[in-house]
Amino acid sequence: MTRQSRTSPAGSERSLHQAYDTALLDLDGVVYAGGEAIAHAVESLAAARAGGMHLAYVTNNALRTPESVAAHLGELGIPTEAAEVITSAQAVARLISEQVPTGSKVLVVGGEGLRVALRERGLVPVESADEEGLAAVVQGYGGPDLPWARFAEASYAVSRGVPWYASNTDLTIPGARGIGPGNGAAVEVVRIATGAEPQVAGKPLPPMHRETVLRTGARRPLVVGDRLDTDIEGAFNGEVDSLLVLTGIADAAQLVRAEPRHRPTYVDRDLRGLLSGQPEVVAGGEGFGCGGWTAAARDGVLELRGEGEPLDGLRALCAAAWTEAGDGVCTLDAEKALARLGL
């Protein structure tokens, strides 16, 4: 089965932390939410590391530096070195540095993570669109208090033809109180004002995957994320396997409807999925079976029969839906089937 034609979640006899050398873990919605560790994350990551798996934390959030992210993870009980954190700020800084001379001035709309990453690449962060010799504009998530005037500053420069870059275009970001607007929403403000299009570095695009591989040296990586449109699509673009955990943005209904580039290799409830194998989905005359469940597409509806572990039912439903959809999106009614699973 090619990655482009995935029609079922995969099985694995070996536990994932033994089958892969490096976990490329998203942070928001996977390891923590609103700054607090997600249930089972700390102990699962400790066990995976003790079992020989290298852990790297890959985030589209460009606000914080790798040092501050590593310190936060340490406070949560996850000992982490700054070198184990890869951010979209680092990816976009490398992208810019490959296109402008060393020492160039770059207008920053974002936080300290962007400024540090630019300096690491020999670039000079500045605050005004009126800087002489301005070579680029870069946007990254700057937190909920980023002043509106910063978007105007970016728009002035971009409207004059200064090359525009974005760390990422995630429209939302999870937090303690719910889902808030992400950097992609801020990018839209400048896009509307200027009509321009930025070069984007973060997940799911290749510059972020390249940055991750360069910094980790991973040979058999497993992308672990909670978003279909960034984490899982990024793994698809990088032609590596992925694990979707249901602790953040993506839910069961979205997974069943996923188009090929958004279909993960594996799906599990949380990071405990790293420590176990994955059950196989078996195709048969009655449909697709996993555990005690069987799913099938009949008369415009996804049907689910049986009982057992709800995740096995979801895996079977995905197989039925993805097979029916082929290279498209499943439009069959899955409401009753998903309600049975309670996911």
Side-chain angles (χ1 to χ4, degrees), residues 62-75:
L63 177 60
R64 295 190 292 170
T65 65
E67 287 78 9
S68 66
V69 172
H72 178 207
L73 289 171
E75 292 169 358

Side-chain angles (χ1 to χ4, degrees), residues 58-284:
V58 185
T59 177
N60 260 2
N61 190 331
L63 177 60
R64 295 190 292 170
T65 65
E67 287 78 9
S68 66
V69 172
H72 178 207
L73 289 171
E75 292 169 358
L76 297 179
I78 306 169
T80 307
E81 300 292 332
E84 296 173 314
V85 178
I86 300 93
T87 73
S88 63
Q90 294 171 322
V92 76
R94 186 186 297 270
L95 183 63
I96 296 169
S97 72
E98 292 171 341
Q99 299 181 25
V100 305
T102 300
S104 293
K105 296 177 182 178
V106 180
L107 173 62
V108 175
V109 180
E112 186 62 15
L114 268 180
R115 294 178 178 86
V116 169
L118 290 169
R119 294 189 191 105
E120 182 184 47
R121 292 288 158 205
L123 302 171
V124 181
V126 299
E127 302 299 315
S128 173
D130 296 329
E131 284 277 353
E132 185 176 350
L134 187 65
V137 176
V138 63
Q139 268 187 276
Y141 184 67
D145 299 322
L146 188 67
W148 190 260
R150 301 307 300 155
F151 305 141
E153 206 68 27
S155 298
Y156 302 149
V158 173
S159 294
R160 295 201 300 263
V162 177
W164 178 29
Y165 301 81
S167 64
N168 67 297
T169 52
D170 296 11
L171 291 174
T172 60
I173 187 169
R177 298 174 59 195
I179 304 301
N183 190 56
V187 167
E188 285 301 309
V189 172
V190 177
R191 192 200 310 269
I192 290 168
T194 65
E197 292 288 336
Q199 292 188 56
V200 183
K203 296 181 284 186
L205 298 174
M208 187 66 174
H209 183 71
R210 180 179 61 143
E211 189 74 19
T212 301
V213 171
L214 286 172
R215 288 181 179 267
T216 64
R219 302 185 68 177
R220 183 164 167 72
L222 177 70
V223 170
V224 184
D226 69 306
R227 300 181 68 119
L228 301 180
D229 60 346
T230 55
D231 304 314
I232 305 309
E233 185 175 340
F236 175 89
N237 290 337
E239 298 186 347
V240 298
D241 289 344
S242 60
L243 166 65
L244 178 77
V245 291
L246 301 175
T247 49
I249 295 293
D251 60 22
Q254 293 170 339
L255 182 60
V256 167
R257 295 193 300 269
E259 58 186 294
R261 61 183 176 164
H262 292 164
R263 296 171 187 171
T265 313
Y266 312 106
V267 58
D268 221 307
R269 194 179 303 273
D270 51 51
L271 286 177
R272 288 175 293 181
L274 286 174
L275 307 177
S276 63
Q278 294 285 310
E280 185 179 4
V281 180
V282 179

